[in-house]
Amino acid sequence: MTAKICQKLTSLRTPGREKSCPLGLGPASIASILIGDTEWLPGQELPLSPWDLVRKPLSQCITIRLKGLSESCLDELALESLFPLPLLHNYVRL
């Protein structure tokens, strides 16, 4: 499941017809994954399989939280603004 999420993150591109470039997001951009009321941190073992967590009646929602300003990262802002991460890093550096 994590591999598919990471594949989707790395394939996100800026909108545009002629030249779209990747946003620069990847597996390191994930701060946590929330499956129902169970928080899953990267590298952490889950108490149950993801399927067992999702099929519970009240936990059929999956939320992926990206690293943001609280972690001194711009990944969340890159996804919200659709500006590539390297471009945001250049703006901050200036």
Side-chain angles (χ1 to χ4, degrees):
M1 182 171 113
T2 306
K4 288 185 180 188
I5 292 170
C6 293
Q7 182 181 16
K8 290 289 183 188
L9 274 176
T10 55
S11 68
L12 290 174
R13 303 179 78 76
T14 58
R17 293 187 192 131
E18 296 173 12
K19 285 189 172 184
S20 64
C21 60
L23 289 180
L25 302 176
S29 302
I30 298 174
S32 65
I33 299 173
L34 194 63
I35 304 174
D37 59 349
T38 304
E39 186 175 22
W40 182 20
L41 301 173
Q44 179 186 26
E45 291 292 323
L46 280 172
L48 299 169
S49 72
W51 169 248
D52 290 331
L53 291 171
V54 170
R55 67 181 185 157
K56 288 180 181 179
L58 298 175
S59 65
Q60 294 181 351
C61 181
I62 298 175
T63 304
I64 301 169
R65 193 173 82 69
L66 299 178
K67 293 179 180 175
L69 296 177
S70 61
E71 293 92 1
S72 299
C73 293
L74 299 172
D75 301 35
E76 185 179 32
L77 182 61
L79 183 62
E80 288 178 5
S81 66
L82 295 179
F83 286 126
L85 196 55
L87 179 70
L88 291 174
H89 283 289
N90 285 339
Y91 280 131
V92 170
R93 188 173 45 90
L94 295 175

